[in-house]
Amino acid sequence: MVHQTISTNAANANSASSKIRPMKFALLRFAATALIVGTLAACSTPPAPRPGDMGSAPRPTVPAGTAWPGDTGPLPPPLAQPKSRWIPVRWAELPGFSEDALHEAWNAWIKGCERPAPPFTALCGDVRRLSIATPEEQRAWMVARLQPYRVEAFDGSADGLLTAYYEPLIDAARQPGNGFAVPLYRLPASYGARKPWYTRQQIDTLPEVQAALAGRAIAWLSDPVDAMVLHIQGSGRLRITEADGSVRLVRVAFAGTNDQPYQSVGRWLLDQGLTRDATWPGIKAWIAANPQRVNELLWSNPRYVFFREEPLDALDAGFGPRGAQGVALTPGRSIAVDRLSIPYGTPVWLASSGPQVQLNRLVLAQDTGSAILGAVRADYFTGWGTEAGELAGRLKQGLRLWALWPR
């Protein structure tokens, strides 16, 4: 799943739903789980490790020098990534480590084990076996088998930025008419013959481009802004009315772009002095007040996304689209990262505190995005539908990340 993020200058909003807040658990009792951890650790050999200030991410809350049981050995040396450096730390540095509902993250981790990165392949057997373990057992295993590294920029800054994305759910029709006039296209037959392909404005207006796309529409939407949301998020769910009147749910997934540069419509509004609120709710409010300027807004972003249709059965509907790692995303537990800072498939401890949501939790690096660049940068997958979209449209706050690497 390849997506972009609207660049904004920040906005206030109500607190996010408690559905994605961490659940509270009692402190660990490691003595009760030592046997399980020892047994699992004996089953496989761990692979060898491979080599901005927002001010609102939570800081460690434990006294200096405190250590979790089993985390008392010497620390390994730092690790280098192309866009970041990783500083080894004690587990006690991770905010909220004793309180996260780890079973929620375990679902995302098991998904990641469908296409594991080489350093984590040897751990996937344990991950699957621990899917029915208690949080205490899961935590004890993590301490025994993984080493946390604080992710930093090369200038030493550990502070970064968290935004969010989601999978829109939109009504659509298989045939145009009755108000459904905005197409979602498959890749054109001539794709690849021209690089870059036509701009968004040219696609919407030039007869020769319209001819090249004839018969390539997957479905038709009623609102061009909904189409723009799909283009920015990179995928979505369609509640589609077929030609015979039946209705079914399908997914449209990212297939390619016209290779034009991405420009944020929110940034365009800010630069034009047309709004001070470039979140999605703010953009929609401006559109409602200025319907005659919708095309001007849309055409400010020359990038255009083409899709492919995917079936959406009951099992698939419980997960998000496939991310760049090649596995289905899990709401609240999958993030998009800069892969030159954090490799796909890496379990990550995420800490972020702000007006939208308080997060101290285990997540998996399973996706990327064209605007997700830098050492301490993440896009948080919130799920699908209206509530997920409201949070994704407003979330922009401080961030700290710890990569969890095999010992």
Side-chain angles (χ1 to χ4, degrees), residues 155-194:
D155 64 3
S157 174
D159 295 302
L161 174 65
L162 180 69
T163 52
Y165 66 116
Y166 78 114
E167 188 177 28
L169 174 60
I170 300 172
D171 288 327
R174 190 66 76 180
Q175 303 294 333
N178 298 318
F180 291 89
V182 183
L184 297 177
Y185 286 118
R186 299 180 182 86
L187 285 169
S190 59
Y191 186 75
R194 174 189 174 110

Side-chain angles (χ1 to χ4, degrees), residues 106-115 319 325 327-328 330 366:
W106 233 258
N107 292 329
W109 204 340
I110 290 171
K111 279 290 181 183
C113 281
E114 294 174 5
R115 298 189 66 178
F319 290 90
Q325 186 189 354
V327 302
T330 302
Q366 296 178 325

